[in-house]
């Protein structure tokens, strides 16, 4: 987890068993290199706010597809417990990765990557402590700001 230097990785601890598969495209195919990850996360704990808080020992099926479309760009698509789906694009100009745009969907619907920068969160949850998530900040010590949600 720490090797990737992903946002908020300091809030995860443990050494879960992860099955990984590399998909190497044929030369000249125009397809991206991908790494597929699968785990039950039994040995991982998370101090992220709800609904991503998790003690060691609790099972949480994880599936992740990390794509490498260009130098300094990652796509991360996946799901957790088939209830939380995400699709994000990250980039780096320094050592740390930054989320350029992304979507999270709660409640069983896959997430599509938004066309605009920012993070989109949709779905239904019993509990989502927005203030706790905003307090995490953007990695620069400042609290995040949220726009008023739009109803559709």
């Amino acid at each position: 987890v720490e090797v990737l230097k992903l946002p908020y990785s300091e809030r995860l601890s443990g050494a879960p068993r992860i099955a990984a598969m590399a998909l190497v495209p044929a030369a000249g195919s125009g397809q991206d290199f991908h790494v597929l990850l699968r785990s039950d996360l039994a040995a991982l704990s998370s101090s992220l706010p709800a609904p991503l808080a998790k003690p060691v020992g609790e099972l949480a099926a994880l599936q992740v597809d990390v794509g490498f479309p260009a130098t300094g760009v990652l796509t991360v698509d996946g799901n957790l417990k088939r209830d939380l789906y995400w699709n994000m694009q990250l980039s780096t100009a320094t050592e740390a990765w930054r989320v350029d745009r992304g979507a999270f969907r709660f409640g069983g619907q896959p997430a599509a990557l938004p066309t605009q920068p920012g993070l989109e969160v949709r779905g239904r949850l019993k509990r989502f402590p927005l203030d706790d998530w905003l307090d995490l900040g953007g990695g620069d010590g400042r609290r995040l700001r949220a726009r008023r949600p739009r109803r559709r």
Side-chain angles (χ1 to χ4, degrees):
V1 172
E2 295 171 9
V3 173
L4 294 176
K5 297 184 181 179
L6 294 172
Y8 312 119
S9 61
E10 72 278 2
R11 295 193 164 263
L12 305 174
S13 63
R17 291 184 181 195
I18 298 173
M21 179 188 311
L23 301 177
V24 181
S29 70
Q31 295 180 338
D32 301 332
F33 175 75
H34 284 260
V35 175
L36 305 177
L37 307 170
R38 305 289 181 265
S39 179
D40 65 10
L41 300 180
L44 182 83
S45 70
S46 168
S47 64
L48 287 165
L52 298 183
K54 180 195 158 317
V56 169
E58 179 181 293
L59 299 180
L62 172 72
Q63 297 183 19
V64 179
D65 178 351
V66 181
F68 300 83
T71 301
V73 178
L74 289 178
T75 58
V76 183
D77 182 8
N79 69 75
L80 181 64
K81 298 192 267 186
R82 297 195 184 267
D83 187 50
L84 166 61
Y85 289 80
W86 61 87
N87 196 334
M88 297 183 294
Q89 180 176 300
L90 295 88
S91 66
T92 182
T94 62
E95 288 187 21
W97 289 94
R98 183 187 78 154
V99 176
D100 292 330
R101 56 194 170 113
F104 286 88
R105 304 274 176 172
F106 294 92
Q109 291 292 324
L113 189 63
T115 57
Q116 300 296 316
L119 190 60
E120 178 181 293
V121 179
R122 290 184 179 200
R124 294 183 186 263
L125 294 169
K126 291 181 181 178
R127 181 171 176 261
F128 187 82
L130 181 59
D131 283 338
D132 292 349
W133 281 97
L134 294 175
D135 287 343
L136 289 177
D140 57 5
R142 295 185 304 181
R143 187 175 195 269
L144 294 174
R145 294 177 297 129
R147 284 191 241 161
R148 184 180 174 151
R150 291 180 287 160
R151 296 272 182 202
R152 291 184 184 221

